[in-house]
Amino acid sequence: MRPPHFALLRRIGLDEICRQPPFADPDAAARKLVELAAGIEAVQDGRIHIEKINAPFLYKLKGSGPEFGAGIKYAKEHDWLEVHESGTYVRLTKPGEDPLPG
């Protein structure tokens, strides 16, 4: 016999409940952050203020803070973004080029 809440879960849809957030994978988050950064006009020396990519990621795309952090870390480790030690801005490591591999 199935548990009583099984019918409710079927009505809601198991896919919706079990769906992984779109940026739970650090690679996906990093790619989106680089895409956002590439679409922003940089200020002096190629600097892109962190809030210019943070706000759209969190509020428009509904990413989370930990996903943002993991994406930034992943992009930095893969040499897609350079993050200033203060954390106030980033730079694309290959401005004018497609920064992401295939």
Side-chain angles (χ1 to χ4, degrees):
M1 190 163 140
R2 292 188 173 137
H5 62 279
F6 186 78
L8 174 64
L9 291 177
R10 282 191 66 190
R11 252 185 296 146
I12 293 172
L14 290 174
D15 289 343
E16 189 169 327
I17 292 171
C18 298
R19 185 178 22 197
Q20 186 177 19
F23 302 116
D25 176 21
D27 180 70
R31 288 176 183 277
K32 184 50 80 172
L33 290 169
V34 171
E35 181 184 317
L36 289 169
I40 295 169
E41 187 174 343
V43 293
Q44 82 183 74
D45 299 328
R47 296 176 184 181
I48 300 165
H49 293 116
I50 197 81
E51 64 267 17
K52 299 282 186 172
I53 59 174
N54 181 280
F57 186 85
L58 295 177
Y59 301 109
K60 184 178 177 188
L61 300 172
K62 305 296 185 200
S64 70
E67 291 168 340
F68 179 83
I72 288 287
K73 181 179 176 186
Y74 190 94
K76 184 178 173 183
E77 289 171 353
H78 286 79
D79 201 31
W80 299 343
L81 288 178
E82 175 187 318
V83 182
H84 187 264
E85 63 186 34
S86 68
T88 58
Y89 66 85
V90 298
R91 284 189 185 118
L92 291 168
T93 55
K94 299 169 187 155
E97 297 178 32
D98 183 8
L100 301 174

